[in-house]
Amino acid sequence: MAQLLLVEDDARIARFVRSGLEAEGHSVEVAVTALAGLALARRGDFSLVILDRMLPDMDGIEICRQLRSEQIDIRILMLTARDAIGDRIGGLRAGADDYLAKPFSFDEFVARIEALLRRGDLRRHQAELRVGNLVLDPMTRRVARGDRRLDLTPREYALLRYLMENAGAVVSRAQLLNAVWGLGFDPGTKVVEVYIRYLRLKLEEENASPLLHTLRGMGYLLSADAEIPDQPVDLTNAPQQKPPSG
């Protein structure tokens, strides 16, 4: 049995979903507004939130962004009447783990929930990642360097986690594009270099020693070894403003 949060303003749909999921053995709490759902999700009592995209007081996309920006570790299944590819991509990029268009098969709905819950169970068993005095907790998404907590955007967090999982090894630009941005091709931009720069600035606040190293022509290396020479990439032509959604 899992504790599920349903954020849905349509009373008929909410009753149907809650009844069906409770019959499957889950506990379901319903929020009829985005603000109520956001407050409940922040409590940390739920394994998964089932989120309607079209809510009267706030778009479900914005709820996703807020939860991810606050590094709240909860699985999100977004429900929507919009089935366009652009809408699905928008939901996933905002932080949803899965996306299901209405009307949907209830059996498929339950199967997707079960898949997301299994993913959450695996995450809970993951150990902390450590490089020197840098610590990342995959369960809480908390990142700290020494006594200083790092405030990372979702994209910065994903980038750092991948680098920490491969600490001590050189990771190429192509690997990062694939693992962090889901791109199997080079978009011809300096998005990797820009986010490496953002991450390096946060890691090295308060004159902390370098951990993230650039090896020209090879890629990037996260290591506490002070002997590694750092070769910053030239960002002269890179955007200086941080993208609005990380």
PDB file of all heavy atoms in Angstrom, residues 11-24:
ATOM      1  N   ALA A  11     -14.686  16.911  -9.354  1.00  0.00           N
ATOM      2  CA  ALA A  11     -15.137  16.024  -8.285  1.00  0.00           C
ATOM      3  C   ALA A  11     -15.465  14.623  -8.798  1.00  0.00           C
ATOM      4  O   ALA A  11     -15.186  13.621  -8.125  1.00  0.00           O
ATOM      5  CB  ALA A  11     -16.355  16.629  -7.590  1.00  0.00           C
ATOM      6  N   ARG A  12     -16.041  14.528  -9.987  1.00  0.00           N
ATOM      7  CA  ARG A  12     -16.416  13.218 -10.534  1.00  0.00           C
ATOM      8  C   ARG A  12     -15.175  12.369 -10.803  1.00  0.00           C
ATOM      9  O   ARG A  12     -15.115  11.195 -10.431  1.00  0.00           O
ATOM     10  CB  ARG A  12     -17.218  13.401 -11.812  1.00  0.00           C
ATOM     11  CG  ARG A  12     -17.673  12.097 -12.470  1.00  0.00           C
ATOM     12  CD  ARG A  12     -18.405  12.374 -13.759  1.00  0.00           C
ATOM     13  NE  ARG A  12     -17.544  13.077 -14.726  1.00  0.00           N
ATOM     14  CZ  ARG A  12     -16.706  12.436 -15.527  1.00  0.00           C
ATOM     15  NH1 ARG A  12     -16.576  11.123 -15.476  1.00  0.00           N
ATOM     16  NH2 ARG A  12     -15.958  13.120 -16.379  1.00  0.00           N
ATOM     17  N   ILE A  13     -14.180  12.979 -11.455  1.00  0.00           N
ATOM     18  CA  ILE A  13     -12.946  12.248 -11.744  1.00  0.00           C
ATOM     19  C   ILE A  13     -12.222  11.886 -10.448  1.00  0.00           C
ATOM     20  O   ILE A  13     -11.704  10.769 -10.295  1.00  0.00           O
ATOM     21  CB  ILE A  13     -12.025  13.089 -12.647  1.00  0.00           C
ATOM     22  CG1 ILE A  13     -12.664  13.267 -14.030  1.00  0.00           C
ATOM     23  CG2 ILE A  13     -10.653  12.440 -12.788  1.00  0.00           C
ATOM     24  CD1 ILE A  13     -11.889  14.161 -14.961  1.00  0.00           C
ATOM     25  N   ALA A  14     -12.204  12.811  -9.492  1.00  0.00           N
ATOM     26  CA  ALA A  14     -11.530  12.553  -8.217  1.00  0.00           C
ATOM     27  C   ALA A  14     -12.160  11.369  -7.495  1.00  0.00           C
ATOM     28  O   ALA A  14     -11.459  10.509  -6.952  1.00  0.00           O
ATOM     29  CB  ALA A  14     -11.572  13.799  -7.339  1.00  0.00           C
ATOM     30  N   ARG A  15     -13.501  11.294  -7.480  1.00  0.00           N
ATOM     31  CA  ARG A  15     -14.176  10.174  -6.822  1.00  0.00           C
ATOM     32  C   ARG A  15     -13.844   8.854  -7.503  1.00  0.00           C
ATOM     33  O   ARG A  15     -13.578   7.836  -6.854  1.00  0.00           O
ATOM     34  CB  ARG A  15     -15.694  10.392  -6.821  1.00  0.00           C
ATOM     35  CG  ARG A  15     -16.183  11.393  -5.794  1.00  0.00           C
ATOM     36  CD  ARG A  15     -17.687  11.290  -5.609  1.00  0.00           C
ATOM     37  NE  ARG A  15     -18.410  11.492  -6.865  1.00  0.00           N
ATOM     38  CZ  ARG A  15     -18.835  12.679  -7.293  1.00  0.00           C
ATOM     39  NH1 ARG A  15     -18.593  13.766  -6.559  1.00  0.00           N
ATOM     40  NH2 ARG A  15     -19.489  12.798  -8.430  1.00  0.00           N
ATOM     41  N   PHE A  16     -13.850   8.866  -8.845  1.00  0.00           N
ATOM     42  CA  PHE A  16     -13.570   7.658  -9.611  1.00  0.00           C
ATOM     43  C   PHE A  16     -12.143   7.162  -9.364  1.00  0.00           C
ATOM     44  O   PHE A  16     -11.915   5.972  -9.093  1.00  0.00           O
ATOM     45  CB  PHE A  16     -13.779   7.944 -11.106  1.00  0.00           C
ATOM     46  CG  PHE A  16     -13.240   6.884 -12.018  1.00  0.00           C
ATOM     47  CD1 PHE A  16     -13.893   5.669 -12.152  1.00  0.00           C
ATOM     48  CD2 PHE A  16     -12.079   7.098 -12.741  1.00  0.00           C
ATOM     49  CE1 PHE A  16     -13.384   4.681 -12.980  1.00  0.00           C
ATOM     50  CE2 PHE A  16     -11.563   6.128 -13.575  1.00  0.00           C
ATOM     51  CZ  PHE A  16     -12.222   4.909 -13.695  1.00  0.00           C
ATOM     52  N   VAL A  17     -11.186   8.069  -9.436  1.00  0.00           N
ATOM     53  CA  VAL A  17      -9.785   7.691  -9.261  1.00  0.00           C
ATOM     54  C   VAL A  17      -9.534   7.228  -7.832  1.00  0.00           C
ATOM     55  O   VAL A  17      -8.889   6.192  -7.603  1.00  0.00           O
ATOM     56  CB  VAL A  17      -8.856   8.868  -9.625  1.00  0.00           C
ATOM     57  CG1 VAL A  17      -7.413   8.566  -9.221  1.00  0.00           C
ATOM     58  CG2 VAL A  17      -8.928   9.159 -11.121  1.00  0.00           C
ATOM     59  N   ARG A  18     -10.047   7.977  -6.882  1.00  0.00           N
ATOM     60  CA  ARG A  18      -9.821   7.605  -5.471  1.00  0.00           C
ATOM     61  C   ARG A  18     -10.423   6.247  -5.162  1.00  0.00           C
ATOM     62  O   ARG A  18      -9.764   5.396  -4.526  1.00  0.00           O
ATOM     63  CB  ARG A  18     -10.436   8.667  -4.560  1.00  0.00           C
ATOM     64  CG  ARG A  18     -10.223   8.379  -3.076  1.00  0.00           C
ATOM     65  CD  ARG A  18     -10.725   9.520  -2.222  1.00  0.00           C
ATOM     66  NE  ARG A  18     -10.298   9.392  -0.850  1.00  0.00           N
ATOM     67  CZ  ARG A  18     -10.447  10.325   0.075  1.00  0.00           C
ATOM     68  NH1 ARG A  18     -11.000  11.490  -0.248  1.00  0.00           N
ATOM     69  NH2 ARG A  18     -10.021  10.124   1.298  1.00  0.00           N
ATOM     70  N   SER A  19     -11.645   6.014  -5.615  1.00  0.00           N
ATOM     71  CA  SER A  19     -12.310   4.733  -5.355  1.00  0.00           C
ATOM     72  C   SER A  19     -11.522   3.578  -5.968  1.00  0.00           C
ATOM     73  O   SER A  19     -11.311   2.535  -5.336  1.00  0.00           O
ATOM     74  CB  SER A  19     -13.730   4.765  -5.921  1.00  0.00           C
ATOM     75  OG  SER A  19     -14.353   3.503  -5.766  1.00  0.00           O
ATOM     76  N   GLY A  20     -11.082   3.758  -7.215  1.00  0.00           N
ATOM     77  CA  GLY A  20     -10.347   2.703  -7.891  1.00  0.00           C
ATOM     78  C   GLY A  20      -9.012   2.394  -7.237  1.00  0.00           C
ATOM     79  O   GLY A  20      -8.637   1.226  -7.079  1.00  0.00           O
ATOM     80  N   LEU A  21      -8.288   3.442  -6.831  1.00  0.00           N
ATOM     81  CA  LEU A  21      -6.978   3.238  -6.217  1.00  0.00           C
ATOM     82  C   LEU A  21      -7.098   2.651  -4.810  1.00  0.00           C
ATOM     83  O   LEU A  21      -6.263   1.844  -4.393  1.00  0.00           O
ATOM     84  CB  LEU A  21      -6.199   4.552  -6.179  1.00  0.00           C
ATOM     85  CG  LEU A  21      -5.746   5.076  -7.544  1.00  0.00           C
ATOM     86  CD1 LEU A  21      -5.058   6.426  -7.406  1.00  0.00           C
ATOM     87  CD2 LEU A  21      -4.818   4.075  -8.228  1.00  0.00           C
ATOM     88  N   GLU A  22      -8.133   3.038  -4.084  1.00  0.00           N
ATOM     89  CA  GLU A  22      -8.344   2.449  -2.765  1.00  0.00           C
ATOM     90  C   GLU A  22      -8.705   0.977  -2.884  1.00  0.00           C
ATOM     91  O   GLU A  22      -8.321   0.157  -2.045  1.00  0.00           O
ATOM     92  CB  GLU A  22      -9.417   3.226  -2.005  1.00  0.00           C
ATOM     93  CG  GLU A  22      -8.925   4.597  -1.532  1.00  0.00           C
ATOM     94  CD  GLU A  22      -9.983   5.401  -0.803  1.00  0.00           C
ATOM     95  OE1 GLU A  22     -11.188   5.057  -0.943  1.00  0.00           O
ATOM     96  OE2 GLU A  22      -9.610   6.365  -0.095  1.00  0.00           O
ATOM     97  N   ALA A  23      -9.427   0.627  -3.963  1.00  0.00           N
ATOM     98  CA  ALA A  23      -9.736  -0.786  -4.216  1.00  0.00           C
ATOM     99  C   ALA A  23      -8.465  -1.582  -4.510  1.00  0.00           C
ATOM    100  O   ALA A  23      -8.414  -2.798  -4.275  1.00  0.00           O
ATOM    101  CB  ALA A  23     -10.714  -0.913  -5.382  1.00  0.00           C
ATOM    102  N   GLU A  24      -7.432  -0.894  -5.014  1.00  0.00           N
ATOM    103  CA  GLU A  24      -6.136  -1.530  -5.279  1.00  0.00           C
ATOM    104  C   GLU A  24      -5.276  -1.610  -4.022  1.00  0.00           C
ATOM    105  O   GLU A  24      -4.172  -2.140  -4.056  1.00  0.00           O
ATOM    106  CB  GLU A  24      -5.382  -0.751  -6.358  1.00  0.00           C
ATOM    107  CG  GLU A  24      -6.020  -0.791  -7.733  1.00  0.00           C
ATOM    108  CD  GLU A  24      -5.897  -2.157  -8.399  1.00  0.00           C
ATOM    109  OE1 GLU A  24      -4.884  -2.853  -8.158  1.00  0.00           O
ATOM    110  OE2 GLU A  24      -6.821  -2.524  -9.148  1.00  0.00           O
TER     111      GLU A  24
END
